[in-house]
Amino acid sequence: MDGELLNSHDPIMDAQPDITLLYRIDPCRNMARFYRLSIQPTLFGGSSLLRNWGRIGTEGRLKVELFDTPGQAAAACEHAAGRKLLRGYWHASASRSAQGIVTPAGAKAAFAGSVEPARPAE
């Protein structure tokens, strides 16, 4: 009986987690944040939405929400990602040239080159 359990494959449990990674970097406000959303199966046939957020370079915080179906978890993931995109976060997979910002160090360099220096008033 143990051999059957070890050899059987559950396609739900073998699935790779669906991960969405968002960033928000604003050097003027000393802001360098990440927000990671991941849908993973549970041991009891449901799905979980893992939210991990914090400052880039730290482990951040983690919150786990449990759902009965993968569809419910996906809807919650899309809703959370949509809210973050409205607040100024952008996808990690977005093109670097379109965003102009990649890392906190790159953000400072990109931002400094895109703003004209202030001219003294005469």
Side-chain angles (χ1 to χ4, degrees):
M1 184 163 166
D2 288 333
E4 291 178 25
L5 293 176
L6 292 175
N7 292 332
S8 65
H9 287 81
D10 184 1
I12 294 174
M13 296 305 290
D14 289 341
Q16 294 293 322
D18 183 20
I19 298 173
T20 301
L21 186 57
L22 305 171
Y23 291 109
R24 184 173 180 192
I25 299 172
D26 185 357
C28 293
R29 296 171 57 189
N30 193 25
M31 181 188 308
R33 299 179 182 171
F34 72 92
Y35 200 87
R36 180 176 32 229
L37 298 163
S38 174
I39 299 173
Q40 297 183 356
T42 63
L43 294 174
F44 303 109
S47 289
S48 61
L49 174 61
L50 280 69
R51 299 173 186 233
N52 181 219
W53 71 93
R55 186 165 175 85
I56 294 174
T58 67
E59 290 184 27
R61 294 175 163 234
L62 178 67
K63 180 178 181 180
V64 179
E65 294 180 64
L66 300 175
F67 296 93
D68 292 332
T69 65
Q72 291 173 338
C77 182
E78 289 179 23
H79 182 70
R83 284 197 329 260
K84 291 299 174 183
L85 291 171
L86 289 175
R87 293 191 55 121
Y89 282 77
W90 44 271
H91 284 278
S93 61
S95 115
R96 292 178 185 177
S97 61
Q99 296 297 330
I101 300 173
V102 178
T103 64
K108 292 177 185 176
F111 187 75
S114 65
V115 176
E116 294 181 23
R119 296 182 186 175
E122 295 180 16

